[in-house]
Amino acid sequence: MKRIFAVLILAATTLSASAQQTQKPPLHGKNWMAITGKPLAATAGAITFQKGGNAVDAACAMLAATCTMWDVLSWGGETQALIYNPKTKKVIAINAMGVAPTGATAKFFKNKGYNFPPENGPLAATTPGTPGGIMYMLANYGTLSLEEVLAPAMEMAAGYPMEAQTANSIERNKELIKQWPYSKKVFLTHLGEEREAPNAGEIFVQKDLLQTLTKMVEAERAALKQGKSRKDAIMAAYDRFYKGDIAEEFVRGSKEQGGLITMKDLANWKPIEEEPLKVNYKGVDVYKLQQWTQGPSMLQALNILENFDLKGMGYNSTRYIHTVYQAMSLAFADRDFYYGDSYVAPEEPMKGLLSKEYARQRASLIGYDKNDPNIGPGDPYPFEGKKNPYLKLLKQRGYEPDTTRRNFAPTHDQRTGSSSVDEEYQDRLWRGTTTVEAADKEGWVVSITPSGGWLPAVIAGNTGIGMSQRMQSFVLDPALNPFNVVEPGKRPRVTLTPSMALKDGKPFVSFAVQGGDTQEQNLLQFFLNMVEFNMTAQQAAEAANINTNQLWLSLGGTKTDDRKPKPGHILLHSSTPEAVRNELKKMGYTLSFSDRTSGPINAIYFDWKHNSLWGGSSNHGEDYGIGW
């Protein structure tokens, strides 16, 4: 009887999923769409479109504005982007992730008592990537000048009304901020008072940052006066940032506060245009950045889930939740061991990891009645005709890649039932950034997940630029991940992961989300919500998801125990039916609940039947979109 009751509930859930009302209205546009994490930044995109810019111009303007607003990132952070070029009808990837600086070795950090690189301070910084990413995208695929694109950000640096979220974050973190003199100068506008941070609505002025952006624009102007092309003029600004007086002050300010970044580190770094990875899921091509991000884990999960009738299971039914959880756990186990910088040896086995045959093998490991708390990395090497050189290391970790279907007898101490959310752990799991989505009537589409330099940030000297904290995503112990051990000149394996999907050779949906290790989890379910359950972009952005904790955390905590997986721990939406809760407990899951399980997700859907754009922006956070 209970089983029948659960099925009836899930049938009703499936019906309501396709007809659900949303808290935010969907966005509509004919000419362009601009969506990002802050209303003012979305306005910067709209202003740029109104100037005649394309989607790349608008995306760069929004990114510059969000950096200026410290929207969980700043100018010293990193940028990851996918761009659909309507001229070539191809998706390209932009890798503007900074690298570990000179001297940043595993031995260096171990000697300081770390198990992972620190999450705050000057030693947490990779080289800045966002300025180079903006200028590369703009020079090669935009239409406007750097001065035109940076105009909104520069006006904001001269003074804008700070929103409560950022103002309160400064106040919460003021004791850390006081450790760094240039950060204290910029952020604590009421030093010595009871509240030392700016107030909500207060005009926040950033003179040093304005000077830095002005120097970049001056370099562009000077190059144009010399008769250089638009592209070369933008790259003159690039050179001033990475090789000129801006770089010199950045390095001086970093070293003064204990940082490692050198002039050579900045001069040698460059953004990379690369081929994205992709898989086809039921006729839809899904694109992700390469394995220096966690992006391929969503592709692996889709390959696994293609072997199941998800629609027949029903949206967020017990069996659906279980199957998605297991697929994500399998993909994350591979992510946590095999992903790393594709430009530094050893070479990651991506051909095997993304093969459909390997996915079928992994899918065969999913049992129907229990969570498997012992899921470990698989062995993708035979699927690219090679022998796995890390089998001994995997055995030392207690894993032996299994290729046979089985029922699971838990070997972990796995308590089942309900638990309260560990707020500190959940913060590290969810740790946010922002996203940028833009599209135009000419066919350009841009999806960006930038980050780094979030509050509390170390500002590098008098540049006004917050330094990245992405070093923490490296490991120091090769037993955890032999591909992601820190070394100078190497990129960490990051969580940042914009997404794009094409159907019949045309853009289908462009989507991204903030939220640390939950990004691929929420993006996977957003995509399935649209493809399997026919939701609109806005419905899919707001729909209840699940989050798994059965993975190694990529952010926060310098002790190994801070980051270890929590097998069977699952976050469910508070509205989850009691019957589903009870069935999941019987399957070995430990449940926790929240009203927020799905975002903030931002997306643009392409309605080719009506030649229009649909925008979706999550009901969580301050994310905002404008269409025309």
Side-chain angles (χ1 to χ4, degrees):
M1 186 67 186
K2 287 182 179 179
R3 176 72 62 177
I4 295 172
F5 178 63
V7 170
L8 289 173
I9 288 176
L10 299 170
T13 305
T14 304
L15 289 172
S16 63
S18 62
Q20 64 180 339
Q21 297 298 311
T22 57
Q23 293 183 23
K24 281 185 179 179
L27 298 165
H28 293 281
K30 183 177 72 172
N31 297 302
W32 51 260
M33 188 74 69
I35 309 175
T36 190
K38 297 282 186 181
L40 283 178
T43 303
I47 290 170
T48 306
F49 273 128
Q50 294 293 66
K51 288 179 181 176
N54 69 6
V56 178
D57 298 314
C60 289
M62 286 190 281
L63 177 52
T66 59
C67 287
T68 303
M69 297 178 74
W70 301 89
D71 180 18
V72 208
L73 78 162
S74 76
W75 279 92
E78 47 272 356
T79 285
Q80 296 67 219
L82 293 172
I83 300 174
Y84 176 76
N85 184 340
K87 297 178 181 178
T88 62
K89 302 190 185 306
K90 290 184 177 181
V91 178
I92 59 169
I94 304 298
N95 174 344
M97 177 64 231
V99 298
T102 300
T105 63
K107 183 179 179 181
F108 172 83
F109 290 109
K110 285 179 180 179
N111 286 343
K112 289 185 172 293
Y114 293 113
N115 291 316
F116 297 93
E119 58 182 304
N120 286 306
L123 292 179
T126 53
T127 54
T130 290
I134 287 175
M135 287 184 275
Y136 181 89
M137 289 188 288
L138 183 62
N140 289 280
Y141 298 107
T143 63
L144 302 180
S145 67
L146 181 65
E147 183 172 7
E148 290 172 305
V149 167
L150 293 189
M154 293 176 72
E155 186 174 348
M156 294 174 73
Y160 78 95
M162 181 175 280
E163 72 286 4
Q165 183 182 25
T166 302
N168 293 337
S169 179
I170 293 171
E171 180 66 14
R172 284 195 305 272
N173 291 286
K174 64 183 179 182
E175 296 307 319
L176 263 178
I177 288 169
K178 287 177 182 178
Q179 297 179 21
W180 310 310
Y182 302 99
S183 301
K184 182 171 72 172
K185 178 182 73 169
V186 171
F187 294 128
L188 301 183
T189 56
H190 304 290
L191 196 63
E193 299 177 19
E194 183 179 354
R195 180 184 173 94
E196 298 181 296
N199 293 292
E202 181 178 328
I203 303 302
F204 181 58
V205 178
Q206 302 174 76
K207 292 180 180 178
D208 290 345
L209 178 59
L210 179 58
Q211 184 181 47
T212 294
L213 299 179
T214 300
K215 287 179 179 179
M216 293 161 63
V217 167
E218 286 174 348
E220 180 190 48
R221 286 178 187 163
L224 289 171
K225 284 184 179 179
Q226 295 170 8
K228 292 188 176 180
S229 67
R230 171 188 164 279
K231 180 177 179 179
D232 288 343
I234 293 171
M235 297 316 290
Y238 176 101
D239 286 342
R240 187 169 187 181
F241 187 95
Y242 285 96
K243 301 174 183 177
D245 56 342
I246 299 173
E248 290 171 354
E249 178 58 19
F250 185 98
V251 169
R252 185 203 67 76
S254 169
K255 287 188 173 180
E256 177 190 334
Q257 298 173 94
L260 298 175
I261 295 172
T262 67
M263 286 292 291
K264 188 175 181 181
D265 292 330
L266 294 181
N268 287 346
W269 179 87
K270 287 180 174 57
I272 301 171
E273 182 175 320
E274 57 189 28
E275 187 84 14
L277 299 176
K278 74 169 181 176
V279 299
N280 185 277
Y281 181 84
K282 299 185 178 180
V284 180
D285 290 321
V286 184
Y287 292 82
K288 285 286 189 175
L289 291 165
Q290 293 185 14
Q291 62 270 23
W292 55 273
T293 75
Q294 67 170 331
S297 64
M298 176 178 162
L299 303 183
Q300 285 191 247
L302 285 172
N303 276 349
I304 293 169
L305 291 170
E306 199 171 32
N307 294 281
F308 299 90
D309 179 12
L310 300 180
K311 189 173 184 178
M313 294 178 188
Y315 168 72
N316 278 359
S317 68
T318 304
R319 188 173 174 192
Y320 177 83
I321 290 171
H322 171 68
T323 304
V324 171
Y325 187 101
Q326 298 301 301
M328 292 194 300
S329 297
L330 288 162
F332 283 129
D334 284 340
R335 179 202 74 167
D336 292 338
F337 188 79
Y338 289 115
Y339 290 14
D341 188 351
S342 50
Y343 300 94
V344 177
E347 181 182 357
E348 299 81 5
M350 298 314 297
K351 181 179 178 182
L353 287 169
L354 293 180
S355 73
K356 297 287 187 180
E357 293 78 10
Y358 177 67
R360 281 193 287 273
Q361 182 196 85
R362 296 292 269 172
S364 74
L365 300 178
I366 297 177
Y368 291 110
D369 57 345
K370 293 287 184 184
N371 174 56
D372 179 5
N374 305 311
I375 287 174
D379 185 2
Y381 282 91
F383 296 89
E384 51 185 54
K386 299 176 183 176
K387 185 176 180 180
N388 193 334
Y390 300 104
L391 289 178
K392 185 177 180 180
L393 186 56
L394 285 169
K395 288 179 181 179
Q396 289 174 357
R397 290 268 308 276
Y399 297 120
E400 189 157 359
D402 194 347
T403 60
T404 59
R405 183 188 299 274
R406 64 198 189 279
N407 289 321
F408 306 113
T411 59
H412 287 72
D413 177 16
Q414 186 182 18
R415 293 180 302 157
T416 62
S418 298
S419 71
S420 60
V421 178
D422 180 338
E423 291 185 6
E424 186 177 343
Y425 177 91
Q426 206 65 37
D427 172 69
R428 295 198 297 271
L429 182 72
W430 275 346
R431 196 157 287 180
T433 172
T434 196
T435 60
V436 174
E437 296 290 332
D440 64 38
K441 64 180 179 181
E442 302 301 323
W444 289 95
V445 188
V446 184
S447 182
I448 307 176
T449 310
S451 192
W454 55 72
L455 294 168
V458 179
I459 290 180
N462 295 306
T463 63
I465 293 171
M467 298 170 67
S468 170
Q469 299 100 334
R470 194 55 61 173
M471 288 289 293
Q472 64 186 293
S473 291
F474 280 115
V475 301
L476 305 184
D477 182 358
L480 293 179
N481 182 340
F483 301 90
N484 190 38
V485 179
V486 64
E487 63 179 88
K490 187 175 183 178
R491 294 161 189 82
R493 196 279 297 153
V494 299
T495 55
L496 308 160
T497 174
S499 315
M500 199 172 290
L502 272 60
K503 189 174 183 180
D504 300 325
K506 297 187 292 187
F508 170 63
V509 62
S510 180
F511 54 114
V513 68
Q514 60 168 281
D517 288 297
T518 67
Q519 287 181 43
E520 291 303 358
Q521 304 183 41
N522 287 320
L523 292 174
L524 171 69
Q525 292 168 84
F526 168 88
F527 178 79
L528 294 174
N529 288 343
M530 293 194 69
V531 173
E532 295 286 0
F533 301 108
N534 299 316
M535 294 188 196
T536 67
Q538 186 60 42
Q539 289 172 335
E542 293 189 15
N545 291 339
I546 65 166
N547 286 173
T548 172
N549 297 349
Q550 194 161 319
L551 47 72
W552 282 87
L553 292 183
S554 305
L555 299 166
T558 56
K559 298 178 181 178
T560 302
D561 285 347
D562 294 336
R563 300 198 183 190
K564 279 186 176 178
K566 295 188 175 184
H569 283 242
I570 184 171
L571 179 69
L572 299 168
H573 195 269
S574 301
S575 64
T576 303
E578 194 67 28
V580 175
R581 299 183 187 202
N582 291 334
E583 288 181 341
L584 289 170
K585 289 177 187 178
K586 291 176 182 177
M587 298 172 80
Y589 290 101
T590 301
L591 316 183
S592 56
F593 302 91
S594 175
D595 289 332
R596 174 196 167 184
T597 60
S598 63
I601 296 171
N602 290 322
I604 300 174
Y605 165 72
F606 300 85
D607 184 346
W608 293 104
K609 180 179 179 181
H610 303 103
N611 289 319
S612 66
L613 305 168
W614 289 61
S617 186
S618 176
N619 54 328
H620 294 299
E622 300 174 281
D623 297 64
Y624 194 81
I626 304 175
W628 187 251

